Amino acid sequence: MKPTKIIIALFIALFTNALLAQQASVKKESLPIDKKTNCYIRYYYYPNLEAYFDNLKMVFYYKEKGEWTSAPELPENYGGYSLYNKAHVVINNFDDENPMQLLPLHKKSYPYNSKGRFTYATIGGTE
């Protein structure tokens, strides 16, 4: 085999391996389970944004122009909010699709707080 064919075959093998590695996703079974509710810890709710993060699909769900959108990152300066201040709520009683259907409940339980602080870190189950 000529050296150029070896190099091409090696390049194709590396490229295919990298492509397959990017397509791998988190499996639901690998998510932590809440012992009280027996649900996977799949979503985080950000009350100040009225947005969700899906640990399974690794995307954010947020409203943009009145419509729910999903993306791996929030838009720049989304509501002037920093994700690093840890003002989020762990949803421990819902692990299905479409957490946005619970937004009215979450808004009532965890209203907007300009300081980004909340009394409880989880929603659902009995405290």
Side-chain angles (χ1 to χ4, degrees):
M1 201 184 241
K2 293 183 179 179
T4 55
K5 289 184 179 180
I6 294 173
I7 292 173
I8 291 172
L10 184 60
F11 177 74
I12 291 172
L14 290 173
F15 179 74
T16 305
N17 189 29
L19 186 62
L20 291 174
Q22 288 178 355
Q23 291 177 350
S25 62
V26 177
K27 295 187 188 238
K28 193 169 187 175
E29 295 78 28
S30 67
L31 296 174
I33 296 177
D34 184 89
K35 292 178 183 175
K36 292 180 183 176
T37 62
N38 206 27
C39 285
Y40 291 101
I41 308 277
R42 181 172 173 182
Y43 297 104
Y44 293 124
Y45 170 59
Y46 292 88
N48 292 8
L49 298 174
E50 295 182 5
Y52 295 90
F53 179 74
D54 185 344
N55 283 315
L56 185 61
K57 296 180 180 177
M58 303 301 283
V59 295
F60 287 92
Y61 298 106
Y62 58 92
K63 279 192 175 181
E64 188 171 64
K65 298 179 183 173
E67 296 290 323
W68 284 100
T69 305
S70 65
E73 294 181 1
L74 289 171
E76 194 170 319
N77 294 324
Y78 187 76
Y81 185 80
S82 172
L83 293 174
Y84 300 108
N85 68 6
K86 300 185 192 243
H88 67 272
V89 178
V90 176
I91 311 260
N92 66 354
N93 64 348
F94 182 80
D95 58 8
D96 264 343
E97 300 295 322
N98 196 13
M100 295 74 74
Q101 67 186 348
L102 300 174
L103 184 62
L105 171 69
H106 295 156
K107 283 173 65 172
K108 185 176 179 181
S109 298
Y110 297 94
Y112 173 81
N113 183 332
S114 62
K115 300 207 184 290
R117 296 187 184 100
F118 302 95
T119 307
Y120 302 106
T122 61
I123 186 167
T126 53
E127 301 295 334

